Amino acid sequence: MSILVDRNTKVICQGLGKAGTFHAIQCREYGTQMVGGISPGKGGTVKEGFPLFNTVAEAVAKTGANASMVFVPPSGAADAIMEAADAGIKVIVAITEGIPVLDMAKVKRFLDTKPGVRLIGPNCPGIITPGQCKIGIMPGYIHKPGTVGVISRSGTLTYEAVFQLTALGLGQSTCVGIGGDPVIGTNQIDLLKLFQEDPGTEAILMIGEIGGTAEERAAEYIAKNVTKPVAAFIAGQTAPPGRRMGHAGAIISGGSGSAQDKIAALKKAGIEVAPTPADLGSAVKAAMAKKK
Amino acid sequence: MKIHEYQAKELFAAAGANTPKHIVVKTPDEAAAAFDQLGGKGAMVKAQIHAGGRGAGQLKGYAEKLGGVKFVSSREKAKSIAAAMLAHSLVTIQTGPEGQPIKTLILQADAEPDKEYYLAMTLDRALGVPVMMASAAGGMDIEKVAHETPEKILRVPVSPETGLQTYQARRLAFDLGFTGDQVEKVEKIMLALSKVFLEKDASLAEINPLAITKKGDVVVLDAKIDFDDNALFRHKDIEALRDLGEENPVEVRAANANLNFIQLDGNIGCLVNGAGLAMGTMDIIKYHGGEPANFLDVGGGVTPEAAIEAFRIILSDSKVKGILVNIFGGIAKCDLIAEALVKAGREVGFKVPVVVRLEGTNVDKAREILNGVKRELPMIQSAAGLTEAAKMVVAAAKA
């Protein structure tokens, strides 16, 4: 079992530039049903085996696509996300990094009018249900089907986590990169709820970082609503306040968003917190052992 | 991106806010002339640097007590205070002990405050919309107010499409205790703040203090705006306000090479792909007793040229006693990183140990490449895992 995407998910790619095309091919090779691409003005032609459409609405009508992978550059990315939502795409995965924050604030309000639509990202590696469907830029081969659900604000740190889990014999149900921006579509609590309800998920790993208070709110939610074992890691314990650490959302500001506050909240909620990024897999193992 | 106080005030003034008249000067003579132009009775001299706490700061190496904000009541005093400021660096709680050289001043018309307020706009991350914040506890350390008495800060969510509405500004004004014709005056400033924030893609815009002057005017006495770097592509006018002299030159150099680099105080350089892993790498260095010298995310599509520039930048810091390279190859293939490492070693020359931890795509090929240059580049040391790598580099830096 899994959440959000599986072998039946039909995916289109918006933004078939160099990176978009490369990753669309990689996703198809992984086994994802990639049913086409959006390239306004080139509808009716084919690129690298992907049928092209002028609009998302047309692609949905002709292919039955229900998910989209967005590689559109920052200036047009908000528009692309809204187009997908308006065309009836249910899972929109925005890989694009560098979308202006106010554009995302507007997108969020637009999506509030589209119930049932879920945006993953932006500025994220994507989502993968191992062995079934990969929508994103993560290296597929490090994943293994299994029962650990992964939620992460980071890209390579997620690969690190998955690599460690797989090495310990712990496969993954679904791994979701939620993105490193201050305004994102799907948050930790949305996914905690889905993983808690998913019979195929037995444990959850949540990778956070400095900035905002989402981890604190997630910790409160877990204490009240999640019965499955949860492990966590917070990156940025050594980050100086007031500096943006690579991700637009990774900044300690106005006295909030520090790793120390987040770790304290997680521990208070009974969550196993990995002390270093080398302990991500073993923290999940410890959390699972403790709940048994 | 940050801008100076005077630039922020000019943006607010253009949007309809009442700001005291100011004149930008770069020499003591210009300061004296500006004093006359402002009426010749009295003016504030204010140092323009990208850091807060200027008033309570101190000119580094200056014999008398003098910060970056000073009232002057004569032409001669305007000239001598300006001369002192322009000849020294200003140390504030935000600059670090070296301080920041002062290159620009403003002379501001006297607007002695009777009462001070705090007004700001930023993004409420939990709500996903901008929020206007206001407090009657202005002029003070607002972070302290937020922490100790959060109820003293009023918060109003603002629609990113329509901006702050007049009724919202009016309600805020009354809630802050404004009365009479001052209500309308403060409304205008609030609407200007919202307009600038939304139209120019600010990430934080602050008016602190917003003041009622002794004469009964409501004015923007100090202002600060940070902009969303990701939106600068559509604001050439804002990008033109950038003052590179205020930024760390090493960080500017790194940004030009598409590297995400932040200088820190430790002695272990880090080269990592991915922001989260880069932070995690700093954390594990600290966990094992070391201190990171920098944050560096080389990104997923790193080229050999960028990697070489990254090594040059790290090695330009004489404090660095060891480097930890931590790459999880996904899209960035490990063998390409290894090749870049070898090339960097040949071109830059490694004088400190470089501990390398590679994992992921094409890692075996990468290990072969590094094994092949063991004799030629003895400073490169391969580590089997992340923990081992951190311990190795911490030991190397202490040796």
Side-chain angles (χ1 to χ4, degrees), chain B residues 115-120 132-138 142 151-156 168-179 182-183 186-187 189-190 207 210 212 218:
Chain B
K115 184 157 173 35
E116 299 187 335
Y117 299 82
Y118 173 83
L119 189 65
M132 190 165 286
M133 297 186 292
S135 176
I142 199 69
E151 71 282 358
K152 285 190 180 163
I153 298 180
L154 309 173
R155 300 169 65 90
V156 178
Q168 292 178 300
R170 193 162 56 233
R171 202 157 73 190
L172 257 183
F174 281 117
D175 287 348
L176 286 169
F178 282 84
T179 54
Q182 286 167 354
V183 172
V186 73
E187 268 174 35
I189 292 176
M190 288 172 176
I207 296 173
L210 166 82
I212 301 178
V218 183

Side-chain angles (χ1 to χ4, degrees), chain A residues 97 123 153-157 180 209 235-236 244-248 250, chain B residues 260 272-282 295-299:
Chain A
E97 177 176 3
N123 188 12
R153 280 171 70 182
S154 155
T156 41
L157 204 47
E209 61 191 26
R244 230 169 264 285
M245 307 300 283
H247 291 152
Chain B
N260 228 320
V272 190
N273 67 327
L277 191 59
M279 277 189 274
T281 303
M282 286 160 46
F295 165 91
L296 172 58
D297 165 19
V298 296

Side-chain angles (χ1 to χ4, degrees), chain B residues 366-384:
Chain B
R367 289 198 178 122
E368 262 172 50
I369 292 168
L370 293 184
N371 273 334
V373 296
K374 261 189 174 165
R375 266 205 207 136
E376 186 196 342
L377 297 167
M379 283 300 188
I380 298 180
Q381 305 172 8
S382 292

Side-chain angles (χ1 to χ4, degrees), chain A residues 22-23 74-75 97-110 134 137-139 141-142 153-157 159-160 163-164 180-183 209-213 217 233-240 242-251 253-255 275-279, chain B residues 2 123-130 143 146-147 158-162 197-203 227-231 233-234 251 260-264 272-284 286-288 292 295 297 326 328-331 333 357 359-362 386-387:
Chain A
F22 173 80
H23 289 292
S75 60
E97 177 176 3
I99 304 177
V101 174
L102 287 176
D103 285 9
M104 281 312 303
K106 289 172 190 165
V107 166
K108 276 279 270 190
R109 288 160 64 86
F110 180 85
K134 160 178 133 100
I137 60 175
M138 64 290 276
Y141 76 93
I142 59 172
R153 280 171 70 182
S154 155
T156 41
L157 204 47
Y159 312 160
E160 185 75 51
F163 182 79
Q164 291 176 25
D181 277 1
V183 177
E209 61 191 26
I210 55 162
T213 53
R217 278 175 280 129
F233 175 71
I234 302 292
Q237 296 169 43
T238 48
R243 300 303 308 266
R244 230 169 264 285
M245 307 300 283
H247 291 152
I251 179 167
S253 62
T276 80
D279 308 304
Chain B
K2 292 180 183 346
L123 176 83
D124 184 314
R125 292 173 60 149
L127 294 177
V129 295
E143 284 187 16
H147 192 72
V158 177
S159 156
E161 290 92 6
T162 54
F197 184 93
L198 294 174
E199 282 182 6
K200 303 295 184 189
D201 281 286
S203 53
F227 295 92
D228 179 358
D229 292 331
N230 289 337
F233 70 86
R234 58 188 177 204
E251 292 179 10
N260 228 320
F261 180 93
I262 291 173
Q263 191 139 42
L264 303 167
V272 190
N273 67 327
L277 191 59
M279 277 189 274
T281 303
M282 286 160 46
D283 295 346
I284 199 169
K286 177 97 175 175
Y287 185 83
H288 291 290
F295 165 91
D297 165 19
N326 184 20
F328 197 100
I331 304 319
K333 295 186 179 69
R357 184 268 181 161
E359 204 55 80
T361 311
N362 292 0
L386 184 47
T387 300

Side-chain angles (χ1 to χ4, degrees), chain A residues 14 70 76-86 92 94 99 104 107 110-111 117 119 122:
Chain A
Q14 292 172 264
V70 179
D79 182 61
I81 294 167
M82 292 190 281
E83 183 188 1
D86 199 44
I92 304 165
I99 304 177
M104 281 312 303
V107 166
F110 180 85
L111 294 180
V117 174
L119 169 67

Side-chain angles (χ1 to χ4, degrees), chain A residues 28-274:
Chain A
R28 182 173 60 196
E29 283 175 2
Y30 189 77
T32 307
Q33 286 196 57
M34 296 298 301
V35 297
I38 308 303
S39 196
K42 291 187 187 149
T45 63
V46 174
K47 182 175 185 181
E48 297 284 350
F50 300 115
L52 298 183
F53 304 93
N54 288 324
T55 67
V56 179
E58 186 192 352
V60 169
K62 291 191 177 151
T63 66
N66 52 11
S68 172
M69 176 162 75
V70 179
F71 275 94
V72 174
S75 60
D79 182 61
I81 294 167
M82 292 190 281
E83 183 188 1
D86 199 44
I89 294 284
K90 293 296 174 211
V91 177
I92 304 165
V93 184
I95 309 298
T96 309
E97 177 176 3
I99 304 177
V101 174
L102 287 176
D103 285 9
M104 281 312 303
K106 289 172 190 165
V107 166
K108 276 279 270 190
R109 288 160 64 86
F110 180 85
L111 294 180
D112 286 344
T113 68
K114 305 276 172 196
V117 174
R118 197 172 281 285
L119 169 67
I120 311 278
N123 188 12
C124 78
I127 177 170
I128 182 169
T129 293
Q132 298 192 41
C133 179
K134 160 178 133 100
I135 307 177
I137 60 175
M138 64 290 276
Y141 76 93
I142 59 172
H143 300 79
K144 181 183 144 179
T147 60
V148 179
V150 179
I151 305 167
S152 176
R153 280 171 70 182
S154 155
T156 41
L157 204 47
T158 317
Y159 312 160
E160 185 75 51
V162 167
F163 182 79
Q164 291 176 25
L165 287 169
T166 299
L168 288 171
L170 296 168
Q172 304 88 42
S173 54
T174 301
C175 304
V176 191
I178 60 175
D181 277 1
V183 177
I184 53 173
T186 300
N187 65 26
Q188 290 89 338
I189 293 175
D190 299 328
L191 294 171
L192 286 165
K193 186 167 187 288
L194 293 176
F195 279 131
Q196 172 67 22
E197 288 165 1
D198 173 36
T201 298
E202 285 175 17
I204 302 164
L205 172 61
M206 184 170 78
I207 299 168
E209 61 191 26
I210 55 162
T213 53
E215 286 85 1
E216 285 90 329
R217 278 175 280 129
E220 262 179 53
Y221 181 86
I222 291 166
K224 285 190 194 131
N225 304 290
V226 179
T227 57
K228 295 175 181 178
V230 181
F233 175 71
I234 302 292
Q237 296 169 43
T238 48
R243 300 303 308 266
R244 230 169 264 285
M245 307 300 283
H247 291 152
I251 179 167
I252 303 169
S253 62
S256 88
S258 76
Q260 285 69 21
D261 287 354
K262 292 173 190 293
I263 291 168
L266 292 165
K267 285 191 171 162
K268 197 177 151 216
I271 295 158
E272 185 76 26
V273 181

